């Protein structure tokens, strides 16, 4: 039976999911010229909705609740879970969605030096669907809801990565879809196992499972998470997905798609009420393997976007490592993971949009030919520095705080398990190494005399400036938002 | 008991005649041999009707006489007489001797299977039952091991005779409508195949199944 | 077996299309006596179209009427129980009605296009519409037959009725396809006849009245008394025989040829409905076999053949370059999946199989008709030549993208619902590995579907190609099918889920009632001491 939520929190959450879908329908029904304005309008409306939701939740003392949408008898089929975690992540998803929409309007036009374009309706419609699907995933209280939105985000990313319709872009798009679909089989297994042993799809039912079954369900979810979050052995789709228009890459890497994976795992652990240790071991070992792999893949990259892709892989490995460590009883690691999802979203969006701005104005994203960014365009140079420092976790930028929580949690549990300690130390070493590597490129590209490519760069459109400034501010303050919100 | 002996004896002749149909030089001759085989089948039905005292079977033999001995061979003879494709010869894929050995092997295997059937009605006529099954597979072999598409039609007819015989042996009291249904369907099948075969010959000027290879994969 | 209510509907349902077919196929004799307006070529085509519309509309309305009667009264029968429609048959009868109507409506625009482009002449139009009705009639006969010999005869007749449709264009390739179709299917179905004869002879020995031995309902009632050896043999024969017609590997060789060479609406009908009708007969034999020798033997066979079908066809699907051939292999794959679900068994498995049959039917009919639009625009099915459909014909391109996603099993399309159900049923019965293999093969299919969209639907269109979609007459029926594909993906409507439940009860020959719904829709379960009684819902709870 379909029941509409009557309480304001549930209604708002539902609205946050449905408004973008409505926007996509509106775009499909209107002219191309109005598509970008509709997209920004609906994205802004969604931000308003989620802001009110966040305020109301704060007013309620962050209690939240679960609101059933579709259920039969006593069994929840599709429902919304509104709590501090889901609202925080949804906030990032939607806010970055708006920023990307604004940036896209300035990026997809004839003035783009790398990819001149006219900004088709398809792009804006799928972007809105992407926002809606991602919000839906975040608020889902059942595995089936997660599964449906999981696949929907896959379909959206497919449409957007292949947007330029070059053979390579289409191949990369198909790769992203297929690899994540193979991984999604994990979620199918989890849904089926959960239903068959408890008779419900509600995530909270994981807590009622016998330990063996609980481990099976969580590991199945973990497999799906590896797929979306581009972890070993499913990592190969992400670097190729760089064929997407850069604002889409930013959204894929920062707030959607890859965050689907870590989020469903986090949600699964939250609902499990204590997970078997095997889940923690599998999760943390794979995370550290991915970390090391990702680091070594930094070294040969000269394309800024590909470098960022491997950086995303390692940052998500941190989050999965933290989540896995929380299995051993560290609440701090869990909070660090959630905060890192939030912080990384803003930092990585900024970095990608800087890359996009460089290719828009200078026509290239190859690092060796980009020099003296700050001299030519001070704003871009500063943004580059903010982004790099935030990603590598240098105070006072946001990355530092969440990474600190993760490592603090790691040493906490490492005190009891020497093997975990080894893993945490490896991760720490990687962190230092990647800082050094980013510093190298920072020193190469930002200061000094502009290279010929850079010197010929066009001025930055106003829309992009606005978005970059907003994101720079967030790289500093997002951590305190997350910290105060999560308490 | 004597009646069943005749039934089993006639069934042996069926194997011989099916080989003749399969190995005949051209489709028109196959049609003649097919009429012969159907005639033996009708005799067998009559003998079986006498042995089991089944009134329905007499009716069957009559309809089978009409359809299988007269109608179907006549249709095929008329349709196939004017079609000939000298390029494929007899169209057989295997040498004659091998075909006969193959038929013998099939017959032995069918005896083995038939001996396992525990139905009381089948006790007296197990050899004929084995023959009916063998007839079915000889028909199948005729389709698989033939390049001439018209001869493939005869393969189908043999298969159909085989199942018809099984039906008569195991259920002599079957309602006559059942039998008529099977017979009419077979006529339509032969008509459709003959029509298609003629169109293929008219359009492509060949009867060789190996020439029909534009669709693959 | 529950008592069957006598009804006039089954014979009425059959007589309409049969009369139309006979009338149309003998029409030239009446041509001179026609009113002047219809005596010309174009005039006679208009007349033919009207008669055709009457026929498909008639079949649709009566099949829905019969469906309603079955839902409210249980099984209905006529002619001394020779004809009957139970819930199981009603599922397939409904498919014939609905998909027949849509492909029939689509035919009008398609055949007109063929006529204008000179691919066929006015005489062929008459042949087409005549055999279309005949084809519908033979399929209806197959699903309403209670007499097992008649079932066989009807399946055989479907081959004969549709062979001329497959060979309609009279070209080398279409004649070849028609020939292979007829030979392989009649030979295959001859196996079916042998299986039928074995079951019948066996039952005639056991049952007091040989006239009863021919009725499926009576056979199911006395299945336990049949000879196990003979029934096993008969099931193997029937599975080979009717499985040939259903396109199960390794008897599928005719299918890609026939489906790709037939006119597109007929391809949709072949793939969407005919394969399912043959499956119905396999299911009917399955029920008898389970009654005699238990579920182990038939399920083992079904699982093996089903898995092989899914595996082989997914690979062949991927490598095809011909759009309609690709779709044909995808049909083999989906039939394979249905067979796997049957092999998995249990109420959930059977219900999943039936639901998947329905969903695939609608989706594949839509896809074949969309391919028909491509054929009308581009004049080729070669995917290397078909580029940029979305730009040339936006509505068709959108439909194809939707179809591809639906067939790939993405929510919120209907295939997701039934594939998910198959998957659940498999895990529930402990066939985890088989399900995992199927899921991997399905991933290969998804890759192939994505390739269709990436290479042919998207991308630049050839410069010489005129922009503009096919006419609304071709698009409207497809729109209706697309709405069905989406609706069934959001939720399985109440009457449909009741129907599938009842049909499952027929197959299980008992009173188990699986829950048929989209996973987000209405799963309810009974918890008994923490142990799940899977997918079964007792009568009392339904009445609540």
């Amino acid at each position: 039976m379909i029941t509409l939520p009557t309480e304001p929190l549930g209604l708002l959450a539902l609205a946050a999911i449905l408004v973008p879908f409505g926007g996509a329908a509106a775009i499909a029904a209107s002219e191309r010229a109005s598509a970008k304005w509709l997209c920004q309008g609906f994205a802004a409306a969604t931000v308003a909705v989620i802001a009110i939701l966040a305020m109301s939740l704060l007013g309620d003392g962050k209690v939240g609740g679960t609101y059933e949408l579709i259920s039969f008898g006593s069994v929840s089929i599709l429902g919304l879970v509104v709590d501090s975690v889901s609202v925080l992540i949804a906030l990032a998803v939607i806010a970055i969605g708006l920023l990307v929409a604004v940036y896209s309007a300035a990026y997809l036009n004839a003035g783009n030096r790398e990819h001149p374009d006219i900004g088709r309706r398809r792009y804006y419609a799928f972007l809105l669907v992407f926002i809606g699907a991602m919000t839906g995933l975040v608020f889902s209280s059942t595995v089936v809801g997660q599964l449906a939105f999981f696949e929907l985000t896959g379909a959206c990313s497919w449409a957007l990565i292949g947007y330029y319709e070059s053979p390579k872009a289409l191949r990369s798009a198909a790769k992203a879809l297929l690899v994540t679909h193979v991984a999604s089989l994990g979620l199918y297994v989890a849904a089926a196992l959960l239903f068959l042993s408890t008779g419900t799809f509600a995530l909270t039912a994981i807590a009622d499972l016998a330990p063996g079954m609980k481990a099976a369900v969580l590991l199945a979810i973990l497999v799906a998470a590896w797929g979306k979050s581009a972890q070993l052995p499913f990592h190969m789709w992400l670097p190729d997905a760089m064929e997407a228009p850069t604002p889409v890459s930013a959204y894929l890497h920062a707030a959607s798609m890859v965050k689907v994976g870590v989020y469903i795992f986090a949600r699964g652990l939250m609902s499990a009420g204590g997970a078997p240790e095997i889940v923690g071991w599998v999760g943390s070992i794979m995370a550290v393997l991915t970390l090391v792999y990702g680091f070594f893949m930094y070294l040969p990259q000269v394309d800024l976007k590909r470098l960022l892709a491997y950086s995303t892989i390692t940052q998500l490995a941190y989050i999965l490592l933290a989540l896995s460590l929380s299995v051993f009883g560290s609440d701090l690691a869990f909070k660090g993971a959630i905060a890192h999802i939030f912080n990384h979203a803003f930092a990585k969006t900024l970095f990608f949009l800087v890359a996009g701005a460089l290719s828009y104005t200078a026509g290239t994203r190859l690092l060796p030919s980009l020099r003296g960014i700050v001299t030519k365009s001070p704003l871009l140079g500063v943004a580059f520095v903010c982004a790099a420092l935030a990603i590598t976790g240098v105070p006072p930028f946001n990355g530092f705080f969440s990474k600190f929580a993760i490592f603090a949690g790691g040493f906490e549990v490492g005190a009891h398990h020497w093997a975990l300690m080894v893993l945490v130390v490896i991760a720490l070493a990687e962190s230092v190494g990647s800082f050094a590597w980013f510093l190298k490129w920072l020193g190469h590209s930002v200061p000094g005399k502009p290279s010929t490519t850079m010197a010929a760069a066009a001025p930055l459109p106003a829309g992009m400036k606005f978005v970059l400034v907003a994101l720079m501010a967030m790289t500093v303050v997002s951590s305190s938002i997350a910290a105060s919100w999560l308490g | 008991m004597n009646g069943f002996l005749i039934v089993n004896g006639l069934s042996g002749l069926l194997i011989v005649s099916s080989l003749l149909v399969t190995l005949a030089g051209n489709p028109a001759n196959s049609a003649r041999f097919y009429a012969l085989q159907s005639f033996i089948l009708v005799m067998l039905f009559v003998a079986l009707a006498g042995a089991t005292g089944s009134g329905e079977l007499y009716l069957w033999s009559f309809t089978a006489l009409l359809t299988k001995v007269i109608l179907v061979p006549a249709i095929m003879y008329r349709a196939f007489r004017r079609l000939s494709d000298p390029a494929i010869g007899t169209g057989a894929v295997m040498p004659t001797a091998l075909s006969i050995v193959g038929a013998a092997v099939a017959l032995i295997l069918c005896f083995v299977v038939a001996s396992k059937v525990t139905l009381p009605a089948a006790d007296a006529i197990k050899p004929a039952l084995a023959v009916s099954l063998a007839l079915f597979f000889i028909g199948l072999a005729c389709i698989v091991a033939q390049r001439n598409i018209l001869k493939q039609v005869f393969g189908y007819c043999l298969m159909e005779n085989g199942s018809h015989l099984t039906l008569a042996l195991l259920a002599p009291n079957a309602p006559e409508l059942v039998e008529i249904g099977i017979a009419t369907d077979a006529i339509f099948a032969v008509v459709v195949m003959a029509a298609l075969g003629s169109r293929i010959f008219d359009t492509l000027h060949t009867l060789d199944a190996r020439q029909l290879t534009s669709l693959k994969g | 077996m529950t008592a069957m209510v006598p009804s006039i509907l089954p014979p009425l349902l059959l007589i309409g299309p049969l009369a139309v077919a006979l009338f149309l196929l003998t029409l030239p004799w009446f041509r001179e006596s026609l009113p002047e307006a219809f005596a010309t070529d174009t005039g006679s085509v208009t007349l033919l179209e009207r008669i055709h519309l009457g026929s498909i509309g008639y079949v649709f309305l009566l099949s829905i009427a019969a469906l309603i009667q079955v839902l409210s009264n249980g099984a209905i029968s006529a002619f001394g129980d020779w004809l009957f429609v139970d819930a199981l048959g009603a599922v397939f009868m409904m498919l014939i009605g609905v998909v027949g109507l849509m492909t029939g409506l689509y035919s009008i625009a398609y055949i007109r296009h063929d006529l204008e482009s000179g691919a066929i002449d006015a005489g062929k139009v008459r042949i087409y519409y005549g055999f279309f009705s005949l084809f519908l009639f033979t399929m209806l006969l197959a699903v309403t037959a209670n007499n097992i010999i008649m079932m066989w005869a009807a399946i055989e007749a479907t081959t004969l009725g549709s062979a001329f449709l497959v060979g309609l264009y009279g070209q080398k390739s279409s004649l070849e396809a028609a020939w292979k179709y007829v030979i392989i299917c009649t030979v295959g179905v001859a196996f079916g006849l042998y299986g039928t004869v074995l079951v019948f002879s066996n039952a005639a020995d056991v049952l007091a009245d040989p006239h009863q031995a021919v009725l499926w309902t009576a056979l199911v009632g006395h299945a336990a008394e049949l000879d196990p050896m003979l029934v096993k043999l008969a099931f193997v024969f029937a599975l080979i025989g009717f499985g040939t017609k259903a396109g199960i590997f390794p008897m599928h060789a005719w299918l890609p040829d026939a489906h790709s060479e037939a006119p597109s609406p007929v391809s949709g009908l072949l793939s969407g409905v005919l394969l399912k009708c043959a499956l119905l007969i396999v299911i009917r034999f399955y029920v008898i076999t389970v009654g005699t020798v238990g579920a182990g033997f038939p399920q083992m066979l079904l699982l093996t053949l089903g898995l092989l079908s899914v595996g082989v066809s997914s690979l062949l699907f991927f490598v095809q370059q011909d759009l309609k051939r690709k779709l044909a292999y995808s049909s083999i794959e989906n039939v394979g999946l249905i067979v796997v679900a049957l092999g998995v068994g249990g109420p959930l498995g059977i219900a999943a199989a039936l639901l998947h049959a329905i969903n695939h039917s609608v989706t594949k009919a839509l896809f074949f008709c969309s391919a028909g639009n491509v054929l009308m625009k581009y004049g080729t099915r070669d995917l290397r030549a078909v580029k940029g459909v979305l730009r040339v014909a936006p509505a068709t391109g959108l439909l194809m993208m939707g179809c591809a996603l639906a067939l790939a099993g993405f929510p919120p399309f209907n295939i997701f619902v039934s594939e998910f159900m198959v998957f659940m049923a498999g895990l529930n019965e402990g066939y985890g590995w088989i399900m995992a293999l199927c899921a991997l093969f399905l991933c290969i299919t998804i890759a192939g579907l994505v390739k269709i969209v990436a290479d042919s639907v998207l991308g630049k269109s050839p410069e010489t190609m005129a922009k503009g979609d096919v006419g609304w007459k071709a698009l409207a029926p497809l729109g209706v099918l697309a709405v069905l594909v989406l609706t069934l993906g959001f939720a399985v409507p109440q009457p449909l889920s009741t129907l599938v439940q009842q049909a499952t009860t027929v197959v299980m020959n008992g009173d188990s009632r699986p829950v048929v719904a989209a996973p987000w829709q209405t799963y309810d379960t009974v918890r008994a001491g923490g142990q799940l009684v899977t997918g079964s819902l007792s009568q009392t709870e339904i009445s609540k």
Side-chain angles (χ1 to χ4, degrees), chain A residues 350-440:
Chain A
L350 177 61
F351 219 152
F352 267 104
L353 295 187
V354 167
L358 286 171
S359 50
Y360 184 94
T361 56
T364 182
R365 357 174 260 247
L366 295 179
L367 286 164
S369 55
L370 293 170
R371 308 200 76 140
I373 299 172
V374 77
T375 327
K376 175 72 186 175
S377 167
L379 177 65
L380 266 185
V382 175
F384 193 114
V385 173
C386 287
L389 297 183
I391 289 291
T392 47
V394 178
F397 293 100
N398 56 12
F400 169 76
F401 298 100
S402 39
K403 267 194 184 172
F404 183 80
I406 291 172
F407 285 117
F411 286 120
E412 193 184 332
V413 291
H416 308 292
H417 299 278
W418 63 267
L420 284 179
M421 188 58 95
V422 173
L423 294 177
V424 174
V425 168
I426 296 175
L428 197 58
E430 192 282 341
S431 193
V432 174
S434 71
F435 172 64
W437 192 253
F438 271 89
L439 209 56
K440 163 187 145 50

Side-chain angles (χ1 to χ4, degrees), chain A residues 82-343:
Chain A
V82 179
D83 58 17
S84 51
V85 172
S86 66
V87 172
L88 182 71
I89 304 299
L91 198 61
V93 165
I94 296 170
I96 293 177
L98 172 65
L99 292 175
V100 167
V102 173
Y103 187 92
S104 299
Y107 184 87
L108 289 176
N109 51 41
N112 190 319
R113 291 203 176 171
E114 196 187 15
H115 292 287
D117 192 76
I118 52 173
R120 297 177 184 281
R121 280 184 294 176
R122 184 154 48 93
Y123 178 88
Y124 292 106
F126 274 114
L127 185 58
L128 277 179
V129 172
F130 213 158
I131 297 175
M134 194 58 211
T135 313
L137 181 111
V138 170
F139 281 124
S140 283
S141 67
T142 63
V143 192
V144 168
Q146 287 189 340
L147 181 54
F149 288 117
F150 184 110
E151 294 280 51
L152 209 52
T153 56
C156 288
S157 67
W158 172 54
L160 289 171
I161 295 171
Y163 174 71
Y164 288 135
E165 295 182 38
S166 67
K168 198 171 169 204
L170 289 169
R171 217 173 24 249
S172 310
K175 199 172 185 182
L177 181 71
L178 285 171
V179 172
T180 56
H181 177 77
V182 171
S184 85
L185 297 179
L187 213 48
Y188 278 82
V189 172
L193 288 179
L194 186 63
F195 176 71
L196 293 172
S197 37
T198 66
T200 172
F201 288 112
L203 280 161
T204 43
I206 298 178
D208 305 339
L209 291 171
M213 189 52 90
K214 193 191 265 188
V217 168
L218 286 174
L219 284 173
I221 294 179
L222 184 60
V223 169
W226 287 337
K228 278 281 183 190
S229 294
Q231 302 293 293
L232 285 177
F234 298 110
H235 60 284
M236 58 286 209
W237 68 269
L238 192 65
D240 287 359
M242 290 304 113
E243 294 300 321
T246 303
V248 169
S249 304
Y251 200 51
L252 284 178
H253 280 254
S256 65
M257 200 66 177
V258 296
K259 295 292 167 67
V260 168
V262 287
Y263 183 80
I264 56 171
F265 188 51
R267 188 45 79 185
L269 289 179
M270 272 171 82
S271 313
E277 289 201 347
I278 175 80
V279 180
W281 286 112
V282 174
S284 47
I285 289 172
M286 287 304 289
V288 169
L289 281 179
T290 311
L291 264 181
V292 173
Y293 168 82
F295 176 74
F296 282 105
M297 291 306 289
Y298 283 172
L299 309 179
Q301 306 304 332
V302 288
D303 178 342
L304 179 53
K305 275 178 81 177
R306 284 189 82 86
L307 178 65
L308 291 182
Y310 285 104
S311 142
T312 300
I313 292 178
T314 56
Q315 295 304 314
L316 287 163
Y318 276 116
I319 298 172
L320 280 175
L321 175 65
L323 290 172
S324 307
L325 292 175
S326 79
V327 169
F328 299 96
S330 168
D331 191 40
L332 190 58
F334 189 85
K335 280 185 178 155
I338 299 296
H340 203 57
I341 297 180
F342 189 72
N343 292 340

Side-chain angles (χ1 to χ4, degrees), chain B residues 39-107:
Chain B
F39 187 68
I40 298 171
L41 190 68
V42 167
M43 296 285 90
L44 203 155
F45 282 175
V46 173
L48 195 63
T52 58
S54 151
E56 283 92 345
L57 260 180
Y58 283 114
L59 205 64
W60 280 36
S61 11
F62 182 68
T63 50
L65 186 71
L66 277 185
T67 58
K68 285 179 193 287
V69 183
I70 301 171
L71 204 53
V72 169
I75 293 171
M76 294 202 282
Y77 187 75
R78 279 181 58 96
F80 297 167
R81 202 177 29 178
R82 64 180 190 87
L83 313 178
S84 82
D85 182 0
I88 50 172
T90 63
V93 176
M94 293 189 295
T96 310
L98 196 62
S99 305
I100 294 174
V101 173
V105 173
L107 194 59

Side-chain angles (χ1 to χ4, degrees), chain C residues 122-404:
Chain C
K124 286 269 180 68
V125 176
R126 180 177 60 85
I127 299 272
Y128 178 83
Y129 287 126
F131 275 107
F132 196 97
S133 281
L134 188 66
F135 187 32
L136 287 186
F137 161 76
T138 52
M139 289 196 291
L140 284 170
L141 188 64
V143 301
T144 55
N146 190 19
N147 178 328
I148 54 169
I149 302 282
M150 204 163 86
M151 266 181 213
W152 164 79
I155 290 291
E156 171 82 19
T158 56
T159 314
L160 305 177
S162 51
F164 286 105
L165 291 173
V166 171
L168 185 77
Y169 293 125
Q171 287 159 346
K172 185 174 191 287
S173 54
S174 41
L175 284 177
E176 181 185 325
W179 180 259
K180 282 188 190 164
Y181 176 41
V182 167
I183 280 291
I184 297 178
C185 284
T186 43
V187 168
V189 175
F191 276 87
L193 172 63
Y194 211 93
T196 312
V197 163
L198 283 178
V199 169
F200 167 69
S201 335
N202 193 348
D205 238 28
V206 174
L207 269 65
D209 177 7
H211 285 263
Q212 284 287 312
V214 80
L215 297 182
W216 181 77
T217 38
L219 288 170
V220 172
H222 296 88
E225 299 153 34
L226 301 180
D227 177 68
M229 177 65 195
L230 269 184
V231 168
K232 275 188 185 174
L233 203 62
F235 182 72
V236 172
F237 272 91
L239 184 60
I240 293 176
F242 301 114
T244 307
K245 199 73 211 216
I248 299 173
F249 178 86
M251 296 86 75
H252 68 285
W254 63 275
L255 193 149
D257 297 347
H259 287 216
S260 59
E261 289 299 322
S264 299
V266 175
S267 312
L269 209 51
L270 286 169
S271 233
V273 188
L274 177 62
L275 304 183
K276 313 297 167 5
C277 291
L279 270 179
L280 168 68
I281 312 300
V282 173
I283 296 175
R284 296 243 188 245
F285 274 89
Y286 169 79
V287 177
I288 296 175
T289 313
V290 170
T292 309
V293 299
F297 173 74
Q299 286 187 349
M300 187 263 295
L301 281 179
L302 289 172
L303 277 176
T304 314
L305 288 188
L307 191 62
L308 281 173
S309 300
V310 173
V312 172
S313 61
S314 67
L315 297 170
L316 288 171
F317 171 83
F318 188 80
V319 299
Q320 292 305 313
Q321 289 294 347
D322 177 320
L323 176 56
K324 282 173 74 177
R325 257 187 118 70
K326 235 180 162 71
L327 296 183
Y329 278 109
S330 143
S331 293
I332 299 177
E333 175 171 26
N334 280 284
V335 165
L337 197 63
I338 298 172
V339 171
V340 166
L342 286 174
V344 160
L348 204 57
I350 305 289
L354 293 173
L355 192 66
H356 194 62
I358 296 170
N359 284 340
H360 174 251
S361 183
V362 180
T363 314
K364 193 47 78 59
L366 176 58
F367 213 155
F368 265 117
C369 292
S370 308
N373 286 355
V374 170
L375 209 53
M376 282 199 260
K377 278 309 283 183
Y378 288 79
T380 177
R381 309 183 302 246
D382 189 342
L383 286 169
R384 285 163 295 199
V386 176
K387 300 281 169 204
V389 179
L390 195 61
R391 296 229 159 75
V392 174
T396 304
L398 209 59
L399 282 172
M400 283 182 72
M401 281 175 83
C403 284

